[in-house]
Amino acid sequence: MEKRENTLKTERMRFSGRLLERGFWLYAWKIEAEDGRCVLYVGRTGDSSSVHAGSPFNRIGQHLDFRASAKGNSMARNLRKAGIEPSHCDFDMIAIGPLFLEHNTAEQHRSIRDKVAALECQTAKTLTDWGYEVLGTHGSRKPLDTELWTYVEDVLRQHVPPCSAT
């Protein structure tokens, strides 16, 4: 068996337990590649295929699942499509929420999911307008809740860490 003691690294992870709360969240990831490239990834919790709205912490694992059978790993797929190897990056996430609580009926879930999808779309557009490279596609035909957007935009202005090249 090969010894790896010369290649072992120590990493740390610190997070608030609030990231374990289920519900409808918006999030933005600042991702810095080892070559200095900086990109953002915008997403939300609140499935389109079920009535569930999980936690951002749970979504992290799905986004970075590299198994061939993985279905929720859109961040990893978008990084690799952009020529960035996820295991060689530094990740910084801001999560806003829960904006809404999880609901059990399909009708309630869809209504809230659509509101959060419009916020996700506007977040990606705004960050792109601010000069960030935002990975993936974000679209919504649903109306934007402008009152809630004012809050989200204020949080983004305060907390989205600038990329060194921005």
Side-chain angles (χ1 to χ4, degrees), residues 24-25 44-53 100-101 103 106-120 139-140 142-143:
F24 292 85
W25 294 74
R44 64 182 165 87
T45 61
D47 242 344
S48 292
S49 61
S50 73
V51 295
H52 300 290
F100 299 97
L101 299 177
H103 288 277
E107 185 178 328
Q108 288 174 319
H109 177 85
R110 276 192 301 271
S111 172
I112 294 170
R113 178 204 64 202
D114 291 347
K115 283 184 183 186
V116 179
L119 289 167
E120 175 191 24
S140 174
K142 300 301 179 182

mmCIF file of all heavy atoms in Angstrom, residues 24-25 44-53 100-101 103 106-120 139-140 142-143:
data_model
loop_
_atom_site.group_PDB
_atom_site.id
_atom_site.type_symbol
_atom_site.label_atom_id
_atom_site.label_comp_id
_atom_site.label_asym_id
_atom_site.label_seq_id
_atom_site.Cartn_x
_atom_site.Cartn_y
_atom_site.Cartn_z
ATOM 1 N N PHE A 24 -36.827 27.808 0.786
ATOM 2 C CA PHE A 24 -36.439 28.409 -0.495
ATOM 3 C C PHE A 24 -35.337 29.433 -0.261
ATOM 4 O O PHE A 24 -35.571 30.465 0.365
ATOM 5 C CB PHE A 24 -37.649 29.058 -1.166
ATOM 6 C CG PHE A 24 -38.673 28.064 -1.634
ATOM 7 C CD1 PHE A 24 -39.643 27.574 -0.768
ATOM 8 C CD2 PHE A 24 -38.660 27.608 -2.942
ATOM 9 C CE1 PHE A 24 -40.583 26.659 -1.198
ATOM 10 C CE2 PHE A 24 -39.598 26.681 -3.385
ATOM 11 C CZ PHE A 24 -40.558 26.206 -2.509
ATOM 12 N N TRP A 25 -34.156 29.127 -0.739
ATOM 13 C CA TRP A 25 -32.980 29.974 -0.591
ATOM 14 C C TRP A 25 -32.468 30.380 -1.971
ATOM 15 O O TRP A 25 -32.616 29.636 -2.938
ATOM 16 C CB TRP A 25 -31.847 29.206 0.083
ATOM 17 C CG TRP A 25 -32.032 28.790 1.497
ATOM 18 C CD1 TRP A 25 -32.830 27.788 1.974
ATOM 19 C CD2 TRP A 25 -31.355 29.317 2.628
ATOM 20 N NE1 TRP A 25 -32.676 27.668 3.320
ATOM 21 C CE2 TRP A 25 -31.778 28.597 3.754
ATOM 22 C CE3 TRP A 25 -30.413 30.335 2.796
ATOM 23 C CZ2 TRP A 25 -31.300 28.861 5.031
ATOM 24 C CZ3 TRP A 25 -29.940 30.596 4.065
ATOM 25 C CH2 TRP A 25 -30.391 29.870 5.164
ATOM 26 N N ARG A 44 -30.598 28.253 -6.595
ATOM 27 C CA ARG A 44 -31.673 28.353 -5.607
ATOM 28 C C ARG A 44 -32.035 26.959 -5.127
ATOM 29 O O ARG A 44 -31.755 25.968 -5.802
ATOM 30 C CB ARG A 44 -32.902 29.017 -6.221
ATOM 31 C CG ARG A 44 -33.499 28.192 -7.351
ATOM 32 C CD ARG A 44 -34.686 28.869 -8.002
ATOM 33 N NE ARG A 44 -35.030 28.259 -9.265
ATOM 34 C CZ ARG A 44 -35.833 27.212 -9.407
ATOM 35 N NH1 ARG A 44 -36.377 26.641 -8.360
ATOM 36 N NH2 ARG A 44 -36.084 26.715 -10.602
ATOM 37 N N THR A 45 -32.641 26.901 -3.984
ATOM 38 C CA THR A 45 -33.248 25.652 -3.551
ATOM 39 C C THR A 45 -34.730 25.729 -3.888
ATOM 40 O O THR A 45 -35.275 26.814 -4.053
ATOM 41 C CB THR A 45 -33.055 25.405 -2.037
ATOM 42 O OG1 THR A 45 -33.679 26.462 -1.313
ATOM 43 C CG2 THR A 45 -31.578 25.321 -1.676
ATOM 44 N N GLY A 46 -35.344 24.591 -3.989
ATOM 45 C CA GLY A 46 -36.759 24.529 -4.375
ATOM 46 C C GLY A 46 -36.874 23.818 -5.701
ATOM 47 O O GLY A 46 -36.810 24.434 -6.754
ATOM 48 N N ASP A 47 -36.988 22.516 -5.610
ATOM 49 C CA ASP A 47 -37.016 21.649 -6.778
ATOM 50 C C ASP A 47 -38.130 21.980 -7.751
ATOM 51 O O ASP A 47 -39.219 22.361 -7.356
ATOM 52 C CB ASP A 47 -37.248 20.207 -6.310
ATOM 53 C CG ASP A 47 -36.112 19.295 -6.642
ATOM 54 O OD1 ASP A 47 -35.283 19.663 -7.477
ATOM 55 O OD2 ASP A 47 -36.082 18.193 -6.064
ATOM 56 N N SER A 48 -37.851 21.797 -9.025
ATOM 57 C CA SER A 48 -38.894 21.903 -10.041
ATOM 58 C C SER A 48 -39.589 20.559 -10.229
ATOM 59 O O SER A 48 -40.672 20.503 -10.795
ATOM 60 C CB SER A 48 -38.293 22.346 -11.379
ATOM 61 O OG SER A 48 -37.829 23.667 -11.283
ATOM 62 N N SER A 49 -38.969 19.493 -9.752
ATOM 63 C CA SER A 49 -39.515 18.159 -10.001
ATOM 64 C C SER A 49 -40.250 17.571 -8.798
ATOM 65 O O SER A 49 -40.729 16.452 -8.871
ATOM 66 C CB SER A 49 -38.382 17.221 -10.404
ATOM 67 O OG SER A 49 -37.436 17.136 -9.361
ATOM 68 N N SER A 50 -40.329 18.304 -7.699
ATOM 69 C CA SER A 50 -41.020 17.783 -6.512
ATOM 70 C C SER A 50 -41.514 18.955 -5.675
ATOM 71 O O SER A 50 -41.323 20.112 -6.038
ATOM 72 C CB SER A 50 -40.073 16.912 -5.681
ATOM 73 O OG SER A 50 -39.122 17.724 -5.019
ATOM 74 N N VAL A 51 -42.126 18.663 -4.544
ATOM 75 C CA VAL A 51 -42.603 19.720 -3.649
ATOM 76 C C VAL A 51 -41.613 19.973 -2.513
ATOM 77 O O VAL A 51 -41.989 20.466 -1.464
ATOM 78 C CB VAL A 51 -44.002 19.404 -3.067
ATOM 79 C CG1 VAL A 51 -45.046 19.369 -4.160
ATOM 80 C CG2 VAL A 51 -43.978 18.111 -2.276
ATOM 81 N N HIS A 52 -40.352 19.685 -2.742
ATOM 82 C CA HIS A 52 -39.356 19.844 -1.687
ATOM 83 C C HIS A 52 -38.467 21.059 -1.942
ATOM 84 O O HIS A 52 -38.176 21.401 -3.086
ATOM 85 C CB HIS A 52 -38.496 18.587 -1.567
ATOM 86 C CG HIS A 52 -39.314 17.378 -1.249
ATOM 87 N ND1 HIS A 52 -39.926 17.187 -0.033
ATOM 88 C CD2 HIS A 52 -39.656 16.314 -2.008
ATOM 89 C CE1 HIS A 52 -40.600 16.051 -0.046
ATOM 90 N NE2 HIS A 52 -40.452 15.501 -1.242
ATOM 91 N N ALA A 53 -38.073 21.683 -0.865
ATOM 92 C CA ALA A 53 -37.126 22.800 -0.908
ATOM 93 C C ALA A 53 -36.118 22.540 0.196
ATOM 94 O O ALA A 53 -36.381 22.794 1.367
ATOM 95 C CB ALA A 53 -37.839 24.134 -0.716
ATOM 96 N N PHE A 100 -38.631 31.730 1.803
ATOM 97 C CA PHE A 100 -39.956 31.162 2.052
ATOM 98 C C PHE A 100 -39.766 29.792 2.676
ATOM 99 O O PHE A 100 -38.751 29.127 2.444
ATOM 100 C CB PHE A 100 -40.750 31.001 0.743
ATOM 101 C CG PHE A 100 -40.998 32.289 0.018
ATOM 102 C CD1 PHE A 100 -40.165 32.678 -1.021
ATOM 103 C CD2 PHE A 100 -42.061 33.093 0.373
ATOM 104 C CE1 PHE A 100 -40.385 33.863 -1.700
ATOM 105 C CE2 PHE A 100 -42.290 34.289 -0.305
ATOM 106 C CZ PHE A 100 -41.444 34.675 -1.331
ATOM 107 N N LEU A 101 -40.753 29.365 3.451
ATOM 108 C CA LEU A 101 -40.723 28.034 4.035
ATOM 109 C C LEU A 101 -41.130 26.998 2.996
ATOM 110 O O LEU A 101 -41.801 27.311 2.016
ATOM 111 C CB LEU A 101 -41.667 27.961 5.239
ATOM 112 C CG LEU A 101 -41.332 28.908 6.397
ATOM 113 C CD1 LEU A 101 -42.389 28.798 7.486
ATOM 114 C CD2 LEU A 101 -39.941 28.617 6.945
ATOM 115 N N HIS A 103 -43.284 24.034 1.458
ATOM 116 C CA HIS A 103 -44.720 23.711 1.493
ATOM 117 C C HIS A 103 -44.935 22.292 0.993
ATOM 118 O O HIS A 103 -44.117 21.746 0.258
ATOM 119 C CB HIS A 103 -45.520 24.695 0.641
ATOM 120 C CG HIS A 103 -45.599 26.048 1.259
ATOM 121 N ND1 HIS A 103 -46.520 26.378 2.211
ATOM 122 C CD2 HIS A 103 -44.844 27.164 1.075
ATOM 123 C CE1 HIS A 103 -46.343 27.627 2.587
ATOM 124 N NE2 HIS A 103 -45.335 28.125 1.906
ATOM 125 N N ALA A 106 -48.383 20.874 -4.088
ATOM 126 C CA ALA A 106 -47.735 21.213 -5.356
ATOM 127 C C ALA A 106 -48.069 22.639 -5.784
ATOM 128 O O ALA A 106 -47.202 23.361 -6.275
ATOM 129 C CB ALA A 106 -48.153 20.220 -6.436
ATOM 130 N N GLU A 107 -49.302 23.066 -5.579
ATOM 131 C CA GLU A 107 -49.705 24.413 -5.988
ATOM 132 C C GLU A 107 -48.939 25.483 -5.215
ATOM 133 O O GLU A 107 -48.421 26.432 -5.805
ATOM 134 C CB GLU A 107 -51.214 24.588 -5.786
ATOM 135 C CG GLU A 107 -51.735 25.909 -6.301
ATOM 136 C CD GLU A 107 -53.246 26.035 -6.137
ATOM 137 O OE1 GLU A 107 -53.946 25.012 -6.210
ATOM 138 O OE2 GLU A 107 -53.696 27.164 -5.936
ATOM 139 N N GLN A 108 -48.854 25.350 -3.896
ATOM 140 C CA GLN A 108 -48.112 26.320 -3.084
ATOM 141 C C GLN A 108 -46.629 26.297 -3.458
ATOM 142 O O GLN A 108 -46.002 27.341 -3.574
ATOM 143 C CB GLN A 108 -48.265 26.004 -1.595
ATOM 144 C CG GLN A 108 -49.627 26.299 -1.030
ATOM 145 C CD GLN A 108 -49.732 25.833 0.407
ATOM 146 O OE1 GLN A 108 -49.257 24.757 0.772
ATOM 147 N NE2 GLN A 108 -50.369 26.648 1.235
ATOM 148 N N HIS A 109 -46.097 25.100 -3.625
ATOM 149 C CA HIS A 109 -44.676 24.958 -3.958
ATOM 150 C C HIS A 109 -44.363 25.650 -5.290
ATOM 151 O O HIS A 109 -43.394 26.409 -5.374
ATOM 152 C CB HIS A 109 -44.295 23.478 -4.030
ATOM 153 C CG HIS A 109 -42.868 23.258 -4.433
ATOM 154 N ND1 HIS A 109 -41.847 23.280 -3.521
ATOM 155 C CD2 HIS A 109 -42.309 23.053 -5.652
ATOM 156 C CE1 HIS A 109 -40.704 23.083 -4.158
ATOM 157 N NE2 HIS A 109 -40.956 22.939 -5.450
ATOM 158 N N ARG A 110 -45.158 25.387 -6.309
ATOM 159 C CA ARG A 110 -44.910 25.979 -7.631
ATOM 160 C C ARG A 110 -44.960 27.506 -7.587
ATOM 161 O O ARG A 110 -44.138 28.184 -8.203
ATOM 162 C CB ARG A 110 -45.908 25.449 -8.662
ATOM 163 C CG ARG A 110 -45.512 24.116 -9.262
ATOM 164 C CD ARG A 110 -46.360 23.781 -10.481
ATOM 165 N NE ARG A 110 -47.786 23.725 -10.175
ATOM 166 C CZ ARG A 110 -48.423 22.634 -9.770
ATOM 167 N NH1 ARG A 110 -47.766 21.504 -9.643
ATOM 168 N NH2 ARG A 110 -49.704 22.675 -9.516
ATOM 169 N N SER A 111 -45.921 28.046 -6.869
ATOM 170 C CA SER A 111 -46.060 29.495 -6.775
ATOM 171 C C SER A 111 -44.805 30.133 -6.167
ATOM 172 O O SER A 111 -44.269 31.111 -6.692
ATOM 173 C CB SER A 111 -47.293 29.836 -5.930
ATOM 174 O OG SER A 111 -47.347 31.211 -5.669
ATOM 175 N N ILE A 112 -44.327 29.563 -5.091
ATOM 176 C CA ILE A 112 -43.122 30.092 -4.438
ATOM 177 C C ILE A 112 -41.884 29.798 -5.277
ATOM 178 O O ILE A 112 -41.017 30.653 -5.449
ATOM 179 C CB ILE A 112 -42.992 29.523 -3.014
ATOM 180 C CG1 ILE A 112 -44.146 30.046 -2.150
ATOM 181 C CG2 ILE A 112 -41.654 29.899 -2.395
ATOM 182 C CD1 ILE A 112 -44.267 29.376 -0.810
ATOM 183 N N ARG A 113 -41.800 28.594 -5.824
ATOM 184 C CA ARG A 113 -40.670 28.231 -6.685
ATOM 185 C C ARG A 113 -40.525 29.230 -7.827
ATOM 186 O O ARG A 113 -39.416 29.673 -8.148
ATOM 187 C CB ARG A 113 -40.884 26.823 -7.240
ATOM 188 C CG ARG A 113 -39.778 26.368 -8.193
ATOM 189 C CD ARG A 113 -40.241 25.295 -9.136
ATOM 190 N NE ARG A 113 -41.293 25.800 -10.011
ATOM 191 C CZ ARG A 113 -42.167 25.031 -10.642
ATOM 192 N NH1 ARG A 113 -42.133 23.732 -10.501
ATOM 193 N NH2 ARG A 113 -43.086 25.560 -11.429
ATOM 194 N N ASP A 114 -41.636 29.628 -8.421
ATOM 195 C CA ASP A 114 -41.599 30.582 -9.529
ATOM 196 C C ASP A 114 -41.114 31.951 -9.081
ATOM 197 O O ASP A 114 -40.379 32.633 -9.801
ATOM 198 C CB ASP A 114 -42.972 30.684 -10.187
ATOM 199 C CG ASP A 114 -43.370 29.406 -10.930
ATOM 200 O OD1 ASP A 114 -42.491 28.529 -11.142
ATOM 201 O OD2 ASP A 114 -44.561 29.288 -11.275
ATOM 202 N N LYS A 115 -41.494 32.387 -7.888
ATOM 203 C CA LYS A 115 -41.006 33.669 -7.353
ATOM 204 C C LYS A 115 -39.497 33.631 -7.155
ATOM 205 O O LYS A 115 -38.786 34.573 -7.488
ATOM 206 C CB LYS A 115 -41.676 33.987 -6.012
ATOM 207 C CG LYS A 115 -43.069 34.491 -6.119
ATOM 208 C CD LYS A 115 -43.591 34.855 -4.728
ATOM 209 C CE LYS A 115 -45.040 35.297 -4.829
ATOM 210 N NZ LYS A 115 -45.544 35.795 -3.555
ATOM 211 N N VAL A 116 -39.017 32.518 -6.591
ATOM 212 C CA VAL A 116 -37.581 32.397 -6.323
ATOM 213 C C VAL A 116 -36.815 32.224 -7.635
ATOM 214 O O VAL A 116 -35.705 32.741 -7.782
ATOM 215 C CB VAL A 116 -37.304 31.255 -5.317
ATOM 216 C CG1 VAL A 116 -35.814 31.116 -5.052
ATOM 217 C CG2 VAL A 116 -38.040 31.523 -4.000
ATOM 218 N N ALA A 117 -37.399 31.554 -8.621
ATOM 219 C CA ALA A 117 -36.748 31.419 -9.929
ATOM 220 C C ALA A 117 -36.573 32.787 -10.587
ATOM 221 O O ALA A 117 -35.532 33.058 -11.199
ATOM 222 C CB ALA A 117 -37.560 30.492 -10.831
ATOM 223 N N ALA A 118 -37.560 33.665 -10.452
ATOM 224 C CA ALA A 118 -37.435 35.017 -11.004
ATOM 225 C C ALA A 118 -36.323 35.784 -10.286
ATOM 226 O O ALA A 118 -35.557 36.522 -10.915
ATOM 227 C CB ALA A 118 -38.767 35.759 -10.894
ATOM 228 N N LEU A 119 -36.203 35.592 -8.973
ATOM 229 C CA LEU A 119 -35.117 36.225 -8.212
ATOM 230 C C LEU A 119 -33.755 35.676 -8.634
ATOM 231 O O LEU A 119 -32.786 36.431 -8.763
ATOM 232 C CB LEU A 119 -35.322 36.007 -6.714
ATOM 233 C CG LEU A 119 -36.472 36.772 -6.073
ATOM 234 C CD1 LEU A 119 -36.752 36.226 -4.679
ATOM 235 C CD2 LEU A 119 -36.165 38.263 -6.019
ATOM 236 N N GLU A 120 -33.688 34.367 -8.862
ATOM 237 C CA GLU A 120 -32.442 33.742 -9.312
ATOM 238 C C GLU A 120 -32.016 34.332 -10.662
ATOM 239 O O GLU A 120 -30.851 34.678 -10.862
ATOM 240 C CB GLU A 120 -32.629 32.236 -9.431
ATOM 241 C CG GLU A 120 -31.435 31.505 -10.010
ATOM 242 C CD GLU A 120 -31.742 30.065 -10.369
ATOM 243 O OE1 GLU A 120 -32.924 29.723 -10.611
ATOM 244 O OE2 GLU A 120 -30.789 29.274 -10.428
ATOM 245 N N GLY A 139 -33.147 31.525 -16.533
ATOM 246 C CA GLY A 139 -34.284 32.122 -17.214
ATOM 247 C C GLY A 139 -35.546 31.953 -16.398
ATOM 248 O O GLY A 139 -35.707 30.976 -15.676
ATOM 249 N N SER A 140 -36.404 32.939 -16.500
ATOM 250 C CA SER A 140 -37.708 32.866 -15.855
ATOM 251 C C SER A 140 -38.641 33.820 -16.572
ATOM 252 O O SER A 140 -38.258 34.942 -16.903
ATOM 253 C CB SER A 140 -37.615 33.252 -14.376
ATOM 254 O OG SER A 140 -38.903 33.301 -13.806
ATOM 255 N N LYS A 142 -41.572 34.431 -15.139
ATOM 256 C CA LYS A 142 -42.456 34.850 -14.058
ATOM 257 C C LYS A 142 -42.104 36.266 -13.616
ATOM 258 O O LYS A 142 -40.951 36.701 -13.728
ATOM 259 C CB LYS A 142 -42.340 33.885 -12.867
ATOM 260 C CG LYS A 142 -42.703 32.460 -13.220
ATOM 261 C CD LYS A 142 -44.125 32.353 -13.755
ATOM 262 C CE LYS A 142 -44.477 30.924 -14.123
ATOM 263 N NZ LYS A 142 -45.790 30.779 -14.682
ATOM 264 N N PRO A 143 -43.078 36.999 -13.093
ATOM 265 C CA PRO A 143 -42.808 38.381 -12.674
ATOM 266 C C PRO A 143 -41.887 38.414 -11.452
ATOM 267 O O PRO A 143 -41.932 37.540 -10.593
ATOM 268 C CB PRO A 143 -44.194 38.928 -12.333
ATOM 269 C CG PRO A 143 -45.043 37.736 -12.084
ATOM 270 C CD PRO A 143 -44.469 36.612 -12.897
#
